[in-house]
Amino acid sequence: MTARLECSGPHVAGRSVTLCVLVFCLMPYFGWAVSYKQGDPVVLYVNKVGPYHNPQETYHYYTLPVCRPKEVRHKALSLGEVLDGDRMAESLYNIRFKENADRLTLCKLTLSEKEVDQLREAIEELYYFEFVLDDIPIWGFVGYMEESGFLPHSHKVGLWTHLDLNIEYNGDSVIFANVSVKDVKPEPLEEGGASHGAGVGSGGLSITHTYSVRWFETTLPHSRRAERLRDYSFFPKTLEIHWLSIINSLVLVVLLLGFVIIILMRVLKNDFARYNVEEDGGCDDLDQGDNGWKIIHTDVFRFPPYKSLLCAVLGVGAQFLTLATGIIVMALLGMFNVHRHGAINSAAIVLYALTSCVSGYCSCSFYTQIQGQRWVWNIILTSALFSAPLFFTWSVVNSVHWWSGSTQALPATTVLLLLGAWVLVGFPLTVIGGIVGKNRAGNFQAPCRTRNIARQILQQPWYKHTAVHMAIGGFLPFSAISVELYYIFATAWGREHYTLYGILLCVFAILLSVGACISVALTYFLLSGEDYRWWWRSVLSTGSTGIFIFVYSLFYYHNRSNMSGLVQSVEFFGYSLLTAFVFSLMLGTVSFWASLAFIRYIYRSLKMD
């Protein structure tokens, strides 16, 4: 059986939190096939229920009036499973390996009027259930609803009281399992609860739950059983290999690269021919009568305001670039298959904690280069730039889940575990990275000296304003990923299992390439207007892609999904806003470094005799 460690109980306090975090997070990656013998018990866990169209609004299965053991025993879960809203508990189903069973009685219940109304409401909201058998999720609807006619109007609600469990096996391993209700008549739940309907007595509605088990042999090996689950279609299938969108994005990248390399380099060649006049001295002696980007050579490397915040943005952006690359690489290595519940959540938490040193190093190193003095404050700001919005968003979302009784609300012990991971791993690594970056930082490599008195900036035309640059710099990278973004949203806010990680890597590279190209072009146009305030402008230009992504999330919510209700809406918009912020940090970082490299190149290329 797969090894599990329970780190969400009271005994965690006596252990090393850091070790517990690592083991707790990495558990999903160290499972192996479970072997059974003829007649061995196969445990079926009940997990959660929830509205079909609200993937993140889930409740424990036993919150419904259903068959349950006298003592509910929960399965020990990994951190990723807890974050995913899983709350697995043992059930009353008695399943024996390769032994068929027909219409076994699960339990007999007498439902009160309130319980009948609760079931009716759940069925009318299209509640589905999720069971887990040998790490295989099993889905089905709680009941049946039929709407027909206008005059007279017919509204029928029925409860599935019998389930057929179909299990496929190969040798001594379970390969696949599902439930069906074919040729099963639902138990009607009439309006008014226990006051009407078949089987109603003075004490309420009497219901008998039964089940059957059928075993089927298959030739599919255990190592490929994830393919069988991907082919199963309880939830709608929307993911497919979409080469057209990839080709469209590649064409966009080629056109942009052609624009930057051919057009921009031709303009620069003319600029160099005009600026590199025969003069004595270096950059400081260049002809002040010229115009364009050459004339601001004594101001272009003037350090910007809010140095610490700028460096914190660059540091956290570099951290998320590292984290995103790590997640995609792990996915390409096959570490996130459909049977490893919450594995990607666990990996994201571990990588976020371990890559904190990247943010500290990049931020403090560049902060020291641009002559920042308050490096301690810079480290604190870097550490809090993302973690503070994350904590605020999570607090609001988790409070709503807790109020509604959803399984998405994290237990207190899990919250303490995550807090311990940040306090004992994430923040110390940020500090260590910051100290190393400060000590290893060299001088800022500026080809030209900066004068004490800043040059007056001319009035700029409307098309060179920040808002226009943000609109252009944000829309083009967004257009390169807009098609792929739909599939990502369908995975994150649906029940799809994303498997096209090779394509995702290509799209990620396209996104960064487009962002860098657009940044270089917009920076050149800015400098050509004798405006040297490129530092923050370069971050905001393509960092505004996050705004377009959030606007797309509004479109997706209203036009591409059937999500509704307070619980689902708060989680969707809260974490969509946080996702847009992460994209802004990543693309702003790429944009800045591309602009800095470009500016250093063009000013180094000026002739200095």
Side-chain angles (χ1 to χ4, degrees), residues 549-566:
I549 291 176
F550 184 72
V551 172
Y552 176 81
S553 71
L554 301 179
F555 169 79
Y556 180 86
Y557 181 87
H558 290 289
N559 297 278
R560 291 292 184 266
S561 75
N562 296 306
M563 293 184 283
S564 61
L566 176 65

Side-chain angles (χ1 to χ4, degrees), residues 375-603:
W375 64 274
V376 175
W377 165 248
N378 173 254
I379 292 177
I380 296 175
L381 180 61
T382 302
S383 182
L385 185 64
F386 176 75
S387 58
L390 172 63
F391 178 76
F392 175 77
T393 304
W394 170 83
S395 298
V396 174
V397 173
N398 199 68
S399 298
V400 174
H401 281 303
W402 175 80
W403 169 77
S404 68
S406 171
T407 59
Q408 297 289 335
L410 298 183
T413 48
T414 304
V415 175
L416 293 176
L417 181 69
L418 295 175
L419 183 62
W422 184 81
V423 172
L424 299 178
V425 181
F427 183 72
L429 286 179
T430 305
V431 174
I432 294 173
I435 294 174
V436 174
K438 175 180 178 296
N439 294 331
R440 299 188 62 179
N443 296 325
F444 184 76
Q445 302 296 325
C448 302
R449 291 197 298 269
T450 301
R451 289 180 176 173
N452 295 330
I453 301 176
R455 180 184 180 87
Q456 184 178 1
I457 299 174
L458 301 177
Q459 182 70 26
Q460 300 294 316
W462 66 269
Y463 54 83
K464 289 189 177 181
H465 288 176
T466 304
V468 178
H469 278 201
M470 289 178 64
I472 298 173
F475 175 75
L476 289 176
F478 170 77
S479 64
I481 63 168
S482 57
V483 176
E484 189 67 22
L485 204 59
Y486 167 76
Y487 297 96
I488 295 175
F489 269 67
T491 302
W493 300 109
R495 301 177 182 86
E496 293 283 2
H497 297 287
Y498 197 95
T499 57
L500 310 176
Y501 294 109
I503 293 179
L504 183 62
L505 180 61
C506 294
V507 172
F508 186 62
I510 289 172
L511 175 65
L512 301 185
S513 302
V514 172
C517 293
I518 291 299
S519 173
V520 169
L522 293 177
T523 299
Y524 174 78
F525 293 143
L526 181 71
L527 299 181
S528 297
E530 301 178 12
D531 189 347
Y532 50 82
R533 298 170 299 182
W534 64 272
W535 299 76
W536 277 106
R537 182 73 70 87
S538 65
V539 174
L540 295 175
S541 59
T542 54
S544 61
T545 305
I547 299 176
F548 286 87
I549 291 176
F550 184 72
V551 172
Y552 176 81
S553 71
L554 301 179
F555 169 79
Y556 180 86
Y557 181 87
H558 290 289
N559 297 278
R560 291 292 184 266
S561 75
N562 296 306
M563 293 184 283
S564 61
L566 176 65
V567 176
Q568 183 66 39
S569 299
V570 169
E571 171 146 340
F572 179 85
F573 291 115
Y575 287 124
S576 293
L577 188 61
L578 207 62
T579 302
F581 179 54
V582 170
F583 272 90
S584 295
L585 292 173
M586 289 194 299
L587 291 173
T589 300
V590 172
S591 175
F592 176 84
W593 291 114
S595 296
L596 178 59
F598 170 73
I599 291 173
R600 281 175 171 165
Y601 167 75
I602 63 174
Y603 282 98

Side-chain angles (χ1 to χ4, degrees), residues 46-364:
V46 297
N47 192 10
K48 51 192 178 184
V49 295
Y52 183 79
H53 297 299
N54 290 356
Q56 278 69 43
E57 184 182 351
T58 56
Y59 306 94
H60 198 288
Y61 181 76
Y62 287 143
T63 57
L64 293 178
V66 294
C67 299
R68 71 181 69 195
K70 294 182 179 179
E71 180 183 354
V72 178
R73 290 184 295 181
H74 287 83
K75 180 184 179 183
L77 303 175
S78 69
L79 178 60
E81 291 170 330
V82 175
L83 293 176
D84 206 32
D86 290 343
R87 302 293 186 270
M88 301 182 201
E90 293 183 3
S91 67
L92 293 174
Y93 291 90
N94 183 17
I95 302 175
R96 300 283 176 175
F97 188 68
K98 294 198 294 187
E99 290 186 0
N100 294 332
D102 187 44
R103 301 197 71 85
L104 297 178
T105 299
L106 187 66
C107 75
K108 296 181 179 181
L109 295 176
T110 301
L111 303 178
S112 65
E113 180 178 347
K114 182 179 179 180
E115 291 173 330
V116 172
D117 290 339
Q118 182 183 1
L119 284 172
R120 281 183 57 85
E121 182 180 355
I123 295 170
E124 288 172 348
E125 293 183 6
L126 297 180
Y127 267 47
Y128 73 98
F129 62 80
E130 179 180 292
F131 296 162
V132 178
L133 185 145
D134 195 38
D135 284 338
I136 302 171
I138 303 173
W139 300 291
F141 284 106
V142 173
Y144 168 82
M145 183 179 68
E146 179 182 351
E147 296 273 358
S148 62
F150 179 69
L151 287 175
H153 174 66
S154 174
H155 178 74
K156 299 179 181 179
V157 176
L159 174 69
W160 296 120
T161 57
H162 178 82
L163 296 178
D164 289 319
L165 293 166
N166 306 304
I167 308 174
E168 298 177 8
Y169 69 95
N170 184 355
D172 57 0
S173 300
V174 176
I175 303 301
F176 178 73
N178 68 357
V179 297
S180 64
V181 289
K182 186 178 180 180
D183 301 328
V184 176
K185 185 178 180 181
E187 181 75 24
L189 300 178
E190 301 295 337
E191 189 72 40
S195 59
H196 302 84
V200 177
S202 59
L205 178 63
S206 299
I207 290 179
T208 300
H209 284 275
T210 59
Y211 67 98
S212 300
V213 181
R214 293 288 182 272
W215 291 87
F216 302 93
E217 189 171 8
T218 180
T219 58
L220 190 70
H222 184 275
S223 59
R224 296 176 53 197
R225 69 174 187 167
E227 300 175 9
R228 181 68 177 87
L229 184 59
R230 283 197 298 267
D231 295 337
Y232 185 59
S233 58
F234 177 77
F235 297 112
K237 295 289 184 180
T238 58
L239 296 187
E240 58 184 11
I241 298 179
H242 30 281
W243 296 110
L244 185 61
S245 66
I246 302 302
I247 295 174
N248 176 65
S249 300
L250 286 174
V251 170
L252 177 61
V253 172
V254 172
L255 292 176
L256 284 172
L257 287 174
F259 170 77
V260 173
I261 295 174
I262 300 175
I263 307 299
L264 200 56
M265 293 306 294
R266 177 171 295 183
V267 173
L268 284 174
K269 183 178 180 180
N270 294 333
D271 288 346
F272 291 148
R274 181 161 54 95
Y275 291 158
N276 283 332
V277 294
E278 294 183 0
E279 298 174 350
D280 295 329
C283 279
D284 293 331
D285 300 320
L286 288 173
D287 185 10
Q288 297 298 315
D290 285 328
N291 54 19
W293 55 266
K294 187 207 76 171
I295 202 172
I296 59 173
H297 63 277
T298 58
D299 295 282
V300 73
F301 293 105
R302 188 179 303 279
F303 297 143
Y306 311 110
K307 297 178 184 178
S308 188
L309 179 59
L310 175 65
C311 295
V313 169
L314 300 179
V316 178
Q319 177 185 3
F320 275 105
L321 287 170
T322 307
L323 189 152
T325 304
I327 289 289
I328 296 175
V329 170
M330 292 175 67
L332 289 173
L333 295 176
M335 301 183 70
F336 305 139
N337 66 44
V338 293
H339 295 294
R340 289 172 178 154
H341 302 267
I344 196 167
N345 293 332
S346 301
I349 291 173
V350 172
L351 287 180
Y352 176 74
L354 297 180
T355 55
S356 296
C357 57
V358 176
S359 64
Y361 179 87
C362 295
S363 176
C364 207

